[in-house]
Amino acid sequence: MTGETVPDEQLARAVQQGDKNAFVELYRRYQPKILGYGRRFLYRYEDIEDAAQEVFIKAYSNLQGYNANRKFSSWIYRVAHNTFIDIIRKKGREPLSILDFDTFINLPVREKMSTEEKIAFKMDLAKAEERIARLPAKYREVFVLYYYEEKNYQEIAEILHIPTSTIGVRLLRARTLLKKETKPV
Amino acid sequence: MTKKDALEQIAHGEVPMRSRWHFTFQAALIIVALIIALAAAIYLASFIFFIIDRDGLLILPRFGWYGFLEFVLALPWAIILLSIILILAAERLSLRFFPIYARPVLFSLTTLLIIVVAASAIIIRTHVHETLENRLPGVRDYYAQFDVPLPTDVYTVIADTESAQSGITAHDATGAVVYVALYPTTNFIGSRDIDPDDVLVILGSRTGNTIEAKSIQILNTLMSWPEKINSEFKEDNWMK
C-alpha cells in the first residue's frame, strides 16, 4: 500500500498493522515538509536535519497512539512541534512561556488584509526569513505554519493545542513585529 | 547522522513501536487523574460551604461592607487555595483532549468551576458532611481542626431582657452576664425588638462585661442555626 492516491490516514493505519513500507511512503511525503518547517522555525539552530529525523523516529515509535479518524498531517506536525520545542528548551536560548494570556480569552483581531496586501505580503516573506527568525518562538511558529506550511487555523490549533482564536492574535502580533523591524530608522 | 537514518533504524528494528495498550493506559491514567482532581476539588468545595454554614460565617456579610470584609478574611483560604490548585490541575489535564484545547482557557476553567460548585451544592443538600461528622468515629475531631472562629469583634449572646433605650442584659456562651450597650448610632439589621431568649450577634467592642454595640442582628428562633452557635449555647435547653 504505497500508491500516490492512498490517503495518509490509510497508510498510517497500515503502519499500525505492521506494514513498514507504508511508513516509507509517509516518510517520503512528509520528510521535505517537516524539514522545511524545522528550518524556518529553528532557523538559528544547528542540526535541523537530525531534528527532522528525530521527528520520524518519534512518529514511528508513537504511531499506535494516532487516531486514524483524525488528520495525519496535524498529528505528525504535532510530533514535530513537540520535538522542536524540546530542542529550544534544551538549548535554552530563548524563553518559552508555560501559560500565555492570549490563550485565556477570545481576543478580537481587528486587522484584515486585502487580497492585494496578502499577495504583496507573501512576496515579501521570501526576503524576510532572517527577521522572522528573530520573532519570539510562539509568534514565529504560528507564522511559519500559516504562511509557509499553509495550515489553516483549525489545523494549527490541533498542532499546537491552542485555541483557534489565539492563532489570529499571534499572527497579527507577528506581522506587527515584522513591520516594526522593517521601519526605516 | 544522514537523511536515511530514521528509515534505516526502523528497517533494522532499532526503533520499537509502542503498543496500543501503552497509549490506552496513558489516556486512562490521565482520565483517572482528572477524575481524582475533580472529585477532590468537589469534596473540598463542599467542605468549604459546610464550614461556612457550620461556623455561621454567613452572618457576617449582613453587617455591611465591614462585615463582608470580615467574612472574606475569615474564609478558609488554605482549603480554597488547594481546591483552586486542583481545578487548575484538572484544567491542564483536560487540555490534552480535543476539543477542549481548541477553546480559550477561560472557557474550560469556567466550565470546571461550574461543575465543581454545582456538584458541591448538591453534596451540601444531601448533608454528607454532617452525616460523616456524626457517624464516623474520628471525623468530628478531624473536622473540628478546620473550625473557623468568628472575628474577635463579633459576639454572640442570648438576651435576658427586652430591648430598652440604653441597652439590654444578656448572657454569653460561658453563662456570664453581659450588658449590651445600645446607642442612637447602633445599626439594627432587621428587627429592633429584642425579646428574652433572642440570639443576638453583635459587632462591637467588649470591655469587661459590657459590649458596646455598633451593629446588631437578631437570629430569629424560626431560623436554622449555625451549628456552631447551637453547640456553644447547648446549655440553653430550648436551642437543643
Side-chain angles (χ1 to χ4, degrees), chain B residues 143-156:
Chain B
Y143 275 21
Q145 291 174 26
F146 300 98
D147 181 48
V148 181
L150 285 173
T152 50
D153 54 355
V154 175
Y155 307 93
T156 311

Side-chain angles (χ1 to χ4, degrees), chain A residues 27 50 53 61-62 103-104, chain B residues 1 3 6 10 18 105-106:
Chain A
Y27 180 92
D50 285 354
Q53 293 298 320
S61 176
N62 293 302
T103 61
F104 269 70
Chain B
M1 234 184 235
K3 279 188 181 182
I10 291 163
R18 288 181 175 141
V105 172
L106 198 65

Side-chain angles (χ1 to χ4, degrees), chain B residues 113-129:
Chain B
L113 201 63
I114 290 169
I115 292 171
V116 168
V117 171
S120 53
I122 293 167
I123 289 175
I124 282 295
R125 282 187 176 275
T126 57
H127 301 283
V128 167
H129 292 288

Side-chain angles (χ1 to χ4, degrees), chain A residues 15-16 20 23 27 49-50 53 57 60-62 64-65 70 99 103-106 157-158 161-164, chain B residues 1-3 5-7 9-11 15-20 23 92 95 98 101-106:
Chain A
V15 182
Q16 286 175 333
K20 281 187 183 176
F23 191 78
Y27 180 92
E49 291 197 1
D50 285 354
Q53 293 298 320
I57 289 171
Y60 181 80
S61 176
N62 293 302
Q64 295 289 1
R70 301 189 70 81
L99 281 176
T103 61
F104 269 70
I105 48 172
N106 272 328
E158 287 204 23
H161 278 199
I162 56 173
T164 39
Chain B
M1 234 184 235
T2 67
K3 279 188 181 182
D5 273 356
L7 285 184
Q9 285 183 51
I10 291 163
V15 182
M17 187 184 274
R18 288 181 175 141
S19 74
R20 187 166 283 275
F23 298 99
R92 287 286 105 184
L95 283 183
F98 180 83
Y101 59 74
R103 300 267 192 165
V105 172
L106 198 65

Side-chain angles (χ1 to χ4, degrees), chain B residues 52-74:
Chain B
I52 289 172
D53 186 46
R54 179 192 69 181
D55 295 350
L57 297 184
L58 284 174
I59 288 168
L60 297 174
R62 293 187 212 151
F63 284 122
W65 282 110
Y66 180 77
F68 182 74
L69 184 69
E70 295 258 34
F71 169 74
V72 171
L73 293 174

Side-chain angles (χ1 to χ4, degrees), chain B residues 18-86:
Chain B
R18 288 181 175 141
S19 74
R20 187 166 283 275
W21 284 109
H22 172 88
F23 298 99
T24 310
F25 184 67
Q26 203 175 42
L29 269 186
I30 292 167
I31 291 168
V32 168
L34 179 64
I35 291 169
I36 290 173
L38 258 185
I42 290 167
Y43 171 79
L44 287 179
S46 69
F47 187 56
I48 292 163
F49 291 139
F50 168 71
I51 290 173
I52 289 172
D53 186 46
R54 179 192 69 181
D55 295 350
L57 297 184
L58 284 174
I59 288 168
L60 297 174
R62 293 187 212 151
F63 284 122
W65 282 110
Y66 180 77
F68 182 74
L69 184 69
E70 295 258 34
F71 169 74
V72 171
L73 293 174
L75 287 172
W77 283 107
I79 306 173
I80 292 173
L81 195 67
L82 188 59
S83 44
I84 289 171
I85 290 170
L86 285 165

